[in-house]
């Protein structure tokens, strides 16, 4: 019944398209104009990708932390490692820079040598008072040397925060207004105002300023993504157009195809704007993906049109048959490709969900554009000239097809042995794959901001915040001696962890208070004893201005405190070890009946997000395989054919995974995408081949050998063309400066090439070897949908 409906449906579609050409072109133009008008809604991501779902425990804990202490990733750090900084003019110019920073409305406050606060003891009022570190502008090198020695030798409270004691690197921290953190204002300030300030300082002092911090990294990361979109689109258009012209040797066919995919790109941006999705590192890939996936549609349609013209020279009949014969097959292949992307929609990750929605919509969109525009444009043109049809008889294509046929006919045992050997080696490689969650691993390595990240890791032990929240469950519990001792014990353990910076908390402020109480002698930078605690803490509570310092370390009630440290860029295994060690220490030092303590921060969220993403992407891949298997079952109504069709599509995935193991490419969010994308695309070749094979069986009275060779010759050329386009199209992503995008392009290209060989050599070999098993009525009965109409079988056209 379905097959009958399908048989009558596509000729009707062909009639509608060809009888309403002007109306359809106007509709396409109107839709394009509408979507172009949506470009104004396109926004570039100003926030980090939301990987974990909102109800995930780690997300809930992070939200609880930000509700108390606010956004922890709003600091921009500037540092200079140069002894010339301590020359009078340079030192004063450095302090002037911090004043200039603080003058901007985007900056909340600045911590620097210019406005550094120190504690002093007021013996008359018996309290601590906050005084400026600088009493005035230094006028000579002796004053600056005295200030430097005082800061580095006598105020350990600021060690690792403002200075590095060993290298004498000095740092300024600018805390941005939290209200602009997720707005374009942040990007404008960092790219323009901050950039100009730093540039002017460097020109005036001839010193190198290193800049980093999470807002700074996110802004420059976004700019890199935006810059690469244009490069990807131009590269994809150039590569695919050159390959297309090489195959067809027709400027007209190439121009028409380029017009189709360019409109598809315009639609892609329009749909992003219409849905008000942000441009992220994944959605930025969609426009060039549409070009790469759209060109094979054009190849199938134009190749069929030229074949029909060559057979009978009737343009109207040729165009009608292009739509009716190729339309259904192209729809099926585009649906399977879209299904591979659509499986991301079920995931809780907003990043992947938006990518899946936009990609799947645009894949169907580029199919519709191809089916409408190509026949209509050709209907207004003269028939292709003889020179445009020469590519149909190229000798090198015949040589390639003959080679495939010879491999399938004479070397099937060798094909199987090679496949098994490759499979075994790939499995060995799979066991060597590692999972990584390095936060900066995929960032462009040759950029100034990546080099500055490494600088701050070396000087200040990292820039990624790791927070520990201590809820004492009672008012002022955070400054109780027992709580302070427990926090100090935990802090000591964190200090002993090489990948963590020295933690800072209310404990450090209390230690600093004791040091000041004993006239600033550094050896007294420690927690008060039981006897000292009463009067020192009384002085802390009475201290004017002290509340501002305390607000950074605990909430207004004194019930909840924070311990802040910074984490270096480490692999996921090491991050998990650190998390485990910290959790054991928390359980040891903080009894659960008295304290509620948890770890959070961007560093930990990224760890959790990576694990969550890898797990869900594996589920997505399994779902894609399941959906496409059901689709194949619906088409061919045979379990054996499902198994046969899956083998040449799963083997390339295994081979790619093995290569990743041998080449040291880890499993991470960017590389796990390869498998779902490649599987959804590679199964298209299987559908084309099996559909043609099924028809040849009916025409050749179930003679499997004859049908296999006929299907191989008929579909081999188109499969080769499209695979070459896809290979080089995805290879464009290799030019990316982002490691993840580069790996995605290389791995998808390799997987699709393996898939082409598997579908052209292994799949026909399996069909021939399993001839007796599949040559029965159950396997060969009429499919639910006739992908290729019956008249396609007639070799002669009237």
């Amino acid at each position: 019944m379905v097959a009958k409906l399908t048989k009558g449906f596509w000729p009707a579609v062909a009639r509608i398209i060809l009888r309403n050409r002007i109306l359809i072109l106007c509709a396409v133009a109107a839709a394009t104009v509408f979507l172009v008008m949506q470009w104004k809604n396109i926004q570039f991501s100003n926030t980090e990708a939301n990987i974990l779902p909102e109800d995930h425990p780690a997300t809930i804990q992070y939200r609880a932390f930000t509700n108390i202490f606010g956004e922890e990733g709003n600091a921009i750090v500037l540092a200079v490692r140069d002894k010339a900084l301590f020359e009078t003019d340079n030192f004063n110019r450095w302090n002037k820079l911090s004043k200039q920073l603080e003058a901007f409305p985007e900056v909340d406050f600045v911590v620097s040598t210019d406005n550094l606060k120190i504690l002093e003891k007021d013996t008359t009022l018996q309290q601590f008072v906050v005084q400026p570190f600088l009493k005035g502008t230094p006028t000579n090198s002796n004053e600056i040397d005295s200030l430097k020695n005082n800061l580095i030798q006598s105020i350990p409270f600021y060690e690792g925060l403002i200075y590095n004691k060993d290298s004498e690197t000095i740092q300024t921290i600018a805390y941005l207004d939290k209200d602009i953190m997720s707005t374009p204002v942040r990007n404008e300030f960092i790219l323009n105002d901050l950039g100009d300030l730093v540039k002017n300082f460097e020109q005036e002092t001839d010193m190198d300023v290193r800049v980093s911090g999470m807002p700074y990294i996110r802004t420059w990361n976004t700019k890199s993504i935006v810059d690469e979109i244009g490069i990807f689109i131009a590269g994809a258009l150039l590569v695919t157009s050159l390959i297309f012209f090489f195959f067809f040797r027709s400027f007209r066919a190439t121009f028409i195809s380029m017009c189709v995919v360019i409109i598809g790109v315009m639609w892609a941006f329009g749909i992003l704007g219409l849905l008000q999705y942000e441009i992220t590192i994944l959605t930025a890939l969609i426009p060039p993906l549409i070009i790469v996936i759209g060109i094979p549609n054009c190849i199938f349609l134009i190749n069929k049109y030229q074949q029909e013209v060559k057979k009978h020279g009737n343009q109207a009949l040729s165009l009608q048959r292009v739509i009716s014969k190729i339309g259904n097959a192209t729809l099926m292949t585009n649906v399977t490709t879209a299904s591979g992307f659509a499986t991301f929609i079920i995931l809780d990750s907003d990043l992947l969900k938006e990518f899946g929605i936009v990609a799947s919509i645009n894949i169907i969109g580029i199919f519709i554009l191809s089916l409408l525009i190509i026949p209509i444009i050709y209907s207004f043109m003269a028939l292709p000239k003889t020179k445009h049809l020469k590519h149909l008889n190229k000798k090198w294509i015949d040589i390639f097809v003959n080679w495939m046929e010879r491999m399938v006919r004479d070397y099937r045992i060798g094909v199987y042995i090679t496949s098994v050997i490759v499979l075994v080696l790939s499995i060995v490689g799979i066991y060597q794959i590692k999972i990584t969650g390095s936060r900066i691993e995929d960032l462009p390595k040759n950029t100034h901001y990546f080099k500055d990240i490494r600088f701050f890791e070396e000087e200040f032990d990292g820039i990624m915040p790791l927070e520990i929240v201590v809820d004492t469950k009672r008012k002022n519990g955070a400054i109780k001696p027992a709580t302070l001792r427990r926090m100090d014990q935990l802090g000591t353990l964190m200090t002993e962890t090489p990948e963590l910076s020295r933690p800072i908390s209310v404990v450090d402020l209390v230690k600093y208070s004791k040091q000041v109480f004993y006239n600033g002698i550094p050896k007294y930078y420690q927690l008060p004893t039981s006897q000292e605690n009463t009067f020192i803490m009384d002085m802390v509570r009475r201290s004017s201005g002290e509340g501002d310092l305390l607000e950074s370390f605990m909430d207004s009630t004194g019930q909840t405190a924070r311990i802040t440290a910074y984490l270096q860029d480490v692999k996921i295994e090491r991050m998990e070890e650190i998390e485990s060690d910290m959790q054991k220490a928390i359980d040891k030092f903080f009894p659960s009946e008295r304290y509620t303590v948890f770890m959070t921060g961007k560093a930990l969220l990224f760890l959790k997000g990576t694990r969550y993403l890898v797990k869900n992407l594996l589920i997505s891949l399994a779902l894609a395989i399941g959906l496409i298997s059901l689709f194949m079952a619906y088409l061919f109504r045979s379990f054996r054919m499902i198994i046969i069709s899956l083998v040449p599509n799963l083997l390339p995935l295994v081979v790619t995974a093995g290569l990743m193991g041998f080449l040291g490419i880890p499993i991470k969010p960017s590389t796990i995408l390869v498998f779902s994308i490649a599987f959804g695309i590679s199964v298209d070749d299987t559908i084309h081949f099996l559909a043609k094979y099924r028809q040849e069986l009916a025409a050749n009275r179930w003679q499997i050998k004859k049908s296999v060779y006929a299907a191989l010759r008929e579909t081999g050329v188109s499969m080769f063309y499209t695979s070459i386009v896809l290979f080089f199209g995805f290879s464009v992503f290799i030019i990316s400066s982002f490691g993840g995008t580069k790996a995605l392009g290389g791995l998808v290209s390799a997987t699709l090439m393996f898939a082409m060989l598997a579908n052209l050599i292994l799949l026909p070999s399996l069909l021939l070897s399993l001839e007796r098993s599949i040559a029965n009525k159950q396997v060969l009965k009429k499919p639910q949908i006739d992908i290729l109409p019956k008249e396609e079988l007639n070799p002669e056209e009237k």
Side-chain angles (χ1 to χ4, degrees), residues 138-165:
T139 58
N140 56 64
S141 58
N142 290 334
E143 289 184 37
I144 294 174
D145 287 341
S146 177
L147 289 168
K148 181 183 76 171
N149 292 332
N150 183 35
L151 176 64
I152 294 177
Q153 303 299 328
S154 303
I155 312 179
F157 177 76
Y158 287 117
E159 183 179 353
L161 186 66
I162 289 297
Y163 67 87
N164 181 316
K165 186 175 183 178

Side-chain angles (χ1 to χ4, degrees), residues 493-506:
L493 179 64
M494 296 174 73
T495 304
E496 293 171 354
T497 303
E499 296 85 358
L500 288 175
S501 69
R502 179 181 77 89
I504 187 167
S505 67
V506 67

Side-chain angles (χ1 to χ4, degrees), residues 581-644:
D581 292 341
M582 292 301 104
Q583 190 59 55
K584 288 176 182 177
I586 288 170
D587 295 338
K588 177 181 176 182
F589 297 136
F590 295 94
S592 58
E593 64 272 11
R594 294 177 56 188
Y595 300 95
T596 299
V597 184
F598 61 86
M599 287 179 286
T600 187
K602 293 293 187 183
L604 195 63
L605 280 184
F606 191 80
L607 164 65
K608 303 285 188 184
T610 299
R611 282 294 189 192
Y612 177 85
L613 205 54
V614 169
K615 175 185 173 183
N616 280 269
L617 284 171
L618 290 173
I619 294 173
S620 171
L621 175 60
L623 180 61
I625 293 172
L627 282 176
I628 293 172
S629 298
L630 290 174
F631 184 69
M632 299 293 288
Y634 185 69
L635 287 179
F636 298 105
R637 297 197 294 177
S638 166
F639 178 76
R640 292 171 184 169
M641 290 296 285
I642 295 171
I643 300 301
I644 291 173

Side-chain angles (χ1 to χ4, degrees), residues 354 394 594 695:
E354 292 176 3
K394 284 183 179 176
R594 294 177 56 188
Q695 286 196 343

Side-chain angles (χ1 to χ4, degrees), residues 376-417:
I376 289 175
I377 294 298
Y378 269 112
S379 71
F380 289 108
M381 293 182 171
L383 285 170
K385 297 179 180 178
T386 304
K387 64 179 181 179
H388 295 147
L389 305 179
K390 286 183 179 179
H391 71 93
L392 299 174
N393 297 318
K394 284 183 179 176
K395 291 184 178 179
W396 66 271
I397 287 292
D398 288 335
I399 293 173
F400 175 71
V401 173
N402 290 334
W403 173 79
M404 289 189 302
E405 186 175 327
R406 188 169 65 255
M407 293 295 293
V408 173
R409 182 180 61 247
D410 301 329
Y411 299 101
R412 285 204 298 276
I413 301 300
V415 168
Y416 298 144
I417 292 174

Side-chain angles (χ1 to χ4, degrees), residues 273-301:
L274 183 65
L275 298 176
Q276 296 188 350
Y277 289 162
E278 293 180 335
I279 297 288
T280 65
I281 194 168
L282 283 184
T283 52
L285 301 178
I286 292 176
L289 273 175
I290 294 306
I291 297 172
V292 174
I293 294 173
I295 286 296
N297 290 341
C298 300
I299 288 176
F300 277 115
L301 292 167

Side-chain angles (χ1 to χ4, degrees), residues 24-197:
I24 290 173
L25 288 179
C26 290
V28 169
T32 304
V33 170
F34 170 76
L35 289 172
V36 168
M37 291 172 63
Q38 305 306 311
W39 288 9
K40 64 180 183 293
N41 298 322
I42 294 177
Q43 295 183 354
F44 295 96
S45 178
N46 297 306
T47 58
E48 288 191 271
N50 182 21
I51 295 177
L52 292 172
E54 290 299 314
D55 59 351
H56 192 280
T59 306
I60 295 171
Q61 288 179 340
Y62 182 74
R63 195 183 305 121
F65 165 80
T66 55
N67 288 339
I68 299 173
F69 297 105
E71 171 68 46
E72 36 88 69
N74 66 326
I76 294 178
V77 289
L78 301 87
V80 171
R81 183 175 59 191
D82 193 329
K83 294 188 182 301
L85 178 66
F86 299 103
E87 296 174 3
T88 306
D89 291 340
N90 291 339
F91 187 76
N92 289 329
R93 183 64 181 84
W94 178 252
N95 290 331
K96 179 184 176 182
L97 176 63
S98 70
K99 286 188 176 73
Q100 292 172 322
L101 272 174
E102 202 160 22
F104 282 96
E106 294 87 354
V107 177
D108 198 0
F109 66 96
V110 175
V111 178
S112 70
T113 52
D114 175 64
N115 61 6
L116 206 61
K117 306 298 182 185
I118 60 172
L119 287 180
E120 291 185 357
K121 182 174 64 173
D122 187 328
T123 54
T124 303
L125 298 176
Q126 287 296 298
Q127 65 181 27
F128 297 114
V129 292
V130 177
Q131 296 289 347
F133 173 67
L134 290 181
K135 307 297 183 183
T137 303
T139 58
N140 56 64
S141 58
N142 290 334
E143 289 184 37
I144 294 174
D145 287 341
S146 177
L147 289 168
K148 181 183 76 171
N149 292 332
N150 183 35
L151 176 64
I152 294 177
Q153 303 299 328
S154 303
I155 312 179
F157 177 76
Y158 287 117
E159 183 179 353
L161 186 66
I162 289 297
Y163 67 87
N164 181 316
K165 186 175 183 178
D166 298 325
S167 64
E168 298 186 348
T169 301
I170 298 297
Q171 180 173 254
T172 289
I173 308 173
Y175 291 90
L176 299 186
D177 183 348
K178 292 167 184 173
D179 293 335
I180 71 158
M181 287 300 294
S182 299
T183 69
V185 175
R186 182 200 73 192
N187 296 343
E188 293 171 8
F189 167 73
I190 290 174
L191 294 174
N192 300 319
D193 299 328
L194 178 63
D196 291 341
L197 283 181

